[in-house]
Amino acid sequence: MRPIPLLALACLLLLAPILFGPSAEASTAYPPLPRSLDQEQRLQDNLDAARSAYEGDPSEINTIWLGRRLAYLNRYAEAIDVFTQGLAQYPESYRLLRHRGHRYISTRQFDLALADFEAAYALSPKGVTEIEPDGIPNRLNKPLSNTQFNILYHWGLAHYLRGDFERAAERYRECLDYSPNDDLQVATLDWLWMSLQRLGTEGARTEATGLLMLINADMQIIENDAYLKRLLLYKGQLTEDELLRTDAADASLALATQGYGVANWYFLNGRWGEARAMLARVVATGNWPAFGYIAAEADRARGVPDLAAASAVLDALHTAASEADWDRYFSLYHPAARFLGTDATEDWDIPTFRAYASATDGWTYTLRDRALYRPVEDVVMFHELLDNAKYGTSRGSGALVWAEGRLLITQYHLTFPIPNDLADAFTEEIRAYEAAPSPR
C-alpha cells in the first residue's frame, strides 16, 4: 500500500466535512445507558480532568484523552469533533485517526471509519507495538493492547460490519502479528473465525477450523474472557447455555456479546430461526455501544441466514445425493422449487424430480468452487463448479430463499459448460439431433 502524502492527507482531513457531508450511515438517536450515580460521577470527574489538561496544553495526547473521556460517557458526536479538531492541528496523527475511526463505528458511520483506519495504517509504524494506555483499567491495572493492534482490529471490524468479510479476514490475519498476548489473540481469532465462516468457501472454512487449534481453556485471559468462551463454543467445548450464563455486573453487555456468538453458532448449524431470535434478544438488551449489538444490527439489516448458511445447505444437498438419501435431499427444496437438468426436457417440479431420483442410486458431484451473493434480503443466489466421474466439469446454479423458518432451494440448474473453442461443433451436433425426425 502506498503511503498517503502528508499534505494530501492534511487537506483531506480538513476538507472531510465538506467533501463527505453528513454520512449516509449517520447514527440513530440511542437512549442514554443506565449508570449508577457513582459511575456517572467518576466518568464526569475524569472528563473534567481531561478537559482541564487539554485547555492547559492542547497536545496530541491531551486531545486524545479528551475525546476518549467524552466517548466513555457515550458522547460520541462530541468525541468525534474533538478528534477532528485535533487532526487539523496534527494531521499526521495515526493515533487520532484510530480513535476517531473507533467512534465512527460507535455511531454506525462505517465508511468514514474505513477511511480513517486506512489512513491511520498508512501513517503508523509497522513491525512495532506501541502500548496504548487504558482509560478503564483492567483488574491488574496492566495495559494489554497496542495502537497497531487497535488500528487493524477496528479496521477489520468496520469491514465485517459492512459485510466485506474477505477484507475483514485480511485485516485480522495481519492483526495476529500485533497480538502478543492471549487476550489480544482470542479477540482477533474470534473475529477472524467469524469472517472466514461468513465467506462460506471451502478454503475459508478449512482455515477457520485450523484457527480453533490455537485455542484452549487454559489460556491466560485478563480482559477478553467473552471471546475465549465464544471460541470454545465454536470448538465444541462449551454449550450455548454455558456461554450465556453470566455473573457479570453488566448482564446486558454480557448478553450482547455472548448472544451474538450464540447467534453465529446457530447460523453455522442451520438453526436459522433460533439465530434470528437470538439477534432480536441481543438488540433487546439496549446495550447499543457493544460491538455484539452493532454486529447484530448489521446482520439483521443484511438478512439472516448468511452466505455460510446457504453454503451449508448446498453441501448437505450434494452429500444427500451421493448417499441417495432422498428424504434428506428433497427436504432441502422449497415445495414450489424447480430442477433444471442438463437435457432441455428436464424442467421438473419436485414430485417429478423425486420420481426420477428415486429410481437411481444417487449421483456424486464434488465441489470445486462456489460463489454466493444476496441480491435482496432473504434470497441467496449461487453458482458452483463441480466434478463428476462420468461427466467431468459441471456447473450448478440457482437460488435459495428463507421460508418456513429455514433456508430452502427454490431452483437448481445443472449444466455441462462447453469451452468456447468447442462450442461451434457441439451446437451443430445439438441442432442436428433436435432436427432428427424421432429424437431418442
Side-chain angles (χ1 to χ4, degrees), residues 179-416:
S179 303
N181 55 61
D182 286 352
D183 275 88
L184 299 189
Q185 286 178 20
V186 295
T188 305
L189 289 169
D190 181 85
W191 287 102
L192 176 55
W193 187 89
M194 290 192 294
S195 300
L196 292 167
Q197 292 287 4
R198 292 301 182 92
L199 280 173
T201 65
E202 188 67 27
R205 290 199 302 271
T206 299
E207 183 182 350
T209 299
L211 295 178
L212 296 180
M213 302 298 292
L214 305 173
I215 298 301
N216 65 78
D218 297 326
M219 297 179 80
Q220 300 300 306
I221 303 298
I222 299 171
E223 296 177 0
N224 291 329
D225 186 59
Y227 287 127
L228 175 60
K229 287 181 177 178
R230 282 176 17 172
L231 289 162
L232 292 174
L233 171 71
Y234 305 147
K235 196 171 182 178
Q237 295 181 359
L238 277 182
T239 67
E240 302 98 300
D241 288 342
E242 288 172 326
L243 185 65
L244 292 172
R245 190 180 305 134
T246 181
D247 56 3
D250 191 344
S252 71
L253 176 59
L255 178 57
T257 302
Q258 304 295 44
Y260 186 69
V262 171
N264 269 289
W265 186 239
Y266 288 152
F267 294 157
L268 299 171
N269 286 276
R271 297 161 63 179
W272 303 301
E274 291 169 279
R276 288 185 171 210
M278 183 56 66
L279 291 178
R281 282 186 65 187
V282 170
V283 172
T285 65
N287 203 307
W288 53 270
F291 287 160
Y293 185 107
I294 299 172
E297 279 185 336
D299 278 354
R300 295 180 91 197
R302 274 194 298 271
V304 177
D306 65 357
L307 299 185
S311 194
V313 173
L314 294 170
D315 287 345
L317 185 82
H318 293 310
T319 299
S322 182
E323 298 171 353
D325 183 350
W326 301 125
D327 288 338
R328 171 65 173 155
Y329 183 85
F330 286 101
S331 73
L332 301 172
Y333 282 92
H334 190 280
R338 306 291 296 189
F339 179 86
L340 305 178
T342 55
D343 192 291
T345 65
E346 295 173 346
D347 180 357
W348 295 332
D349 60 17
I350 293 304
T352 304
F353 184 27
R354 182 157 193 156
Y356 165 83
S358 298
T360 76
D361 295 325
W363 48 82
T364 298
Y365 286 86
T366 304
L367 181 67
R368 187 191 305 172
D369 192 28
R370 177 181 292 146
L372 305 106
Y373 62 98
R374 185 192 303 280
V376 295
E377 185 177 358
D378 289 347
V379 173
V380 176
M381 306 295 295
F382 70 90
H383 57 271
E384 52 188 9
L385 280 180
L386 308 162
D387 290 310
N388 177 268
K390 180 178 180 180
Y391 298 115
T393 299
S394 305
R395 173 177 286 144
S397 61
L400 304 95
V401 66
W402 176 262
E404 303 176 3
R406 57 201 184 107
L407 203 60
L408 296 171
I409 298 166
T410 56
Q411 178 178 300
Y412 196 100
H413 187 187
L414 182 65
T415 61
F416 301 148

Side-chain angles (χ1 to χ4, degrees), residues 141-178:
N141 196 24
K142 176 184 177 182
L144 298 175
S145 70
N146 59 80
T147 300
Q148 286 72 21
F149 165 87
N150 278 311
I151 290 170
L152 288 161
Y153 179 84
H154 293 94
W155 192 5
L157 177 62
H159 279 306
Y160 182 97
L161 295 170
R162 292 290 284 143
D164 189 344
F165 303 117
E166 184 171 1
R167 286 189 174 85
E170 291 172 1
R171 301 289 85 77
Y172 285 123
R173 289 189 192 100
E174 186 172 358
C175 191
L176 283 173
D177 294 336
Y178 297 96

